[in-house]
Amino acid sequence: MVPLILIGAVVLGACLVFGYSSFIVGFALMCAGVIGLIMFLATPGMVRRPGERETVVEERHYIGDHDDHRHYRS
């Protein structure tokens, strides 16, 4: 919701400064979209560098002569 309010503020500000026309509205929306895309791609969660984050894979070992992790009805 907040990004929509910010985009609306950008468009309204551009229209107040440069006048109301479809070109100004389209150009302001395009600029806001490009800037938003650049900011989204620059977040640390999107860029994975080697050795920066590790993935943990869980292993489960079942010891015994019967399977407690499976429920079979016989």
Side-chain angles (χ1 to χ4, degrees):
M1 186 67 188
V2 174
L4 294 176
I5 294 172
L6 292 175
I7 291 173
V10 166
V11 171
L12 181 64
C15 288
L16 289 175
V17 171
F18 299 110
Y20 293 97
S21 73
S22 61
F23 174 76
I24 298 298
V25 171
F27 190 73
L29 286 174
M30 184 183 66
C31 289
V34 168
I35 291 171
L37 183 63
I38 290 170
M39 289 176 62
F40 177 73
L41 292 176
T43 55
M46 292 298 295
V47 180
R48 296 186 69 142
R49 293 180 178 88
E52 189 173 282
R53 289 183 176 79
E54 297 177 1
T55 303
V56 177
V57 178
E58 181 180 341
E59 287 187 23
R60 294 184 181 184
H61 299 278
Y62 298 99
I63 300 172
D65 57 349
H66 61 280
D67 291 332
D68 288 335
H69 63 282
R70 293 186 184 153
H71 300 287
Y72 290 116
R73 293 185 180 179
S74 34

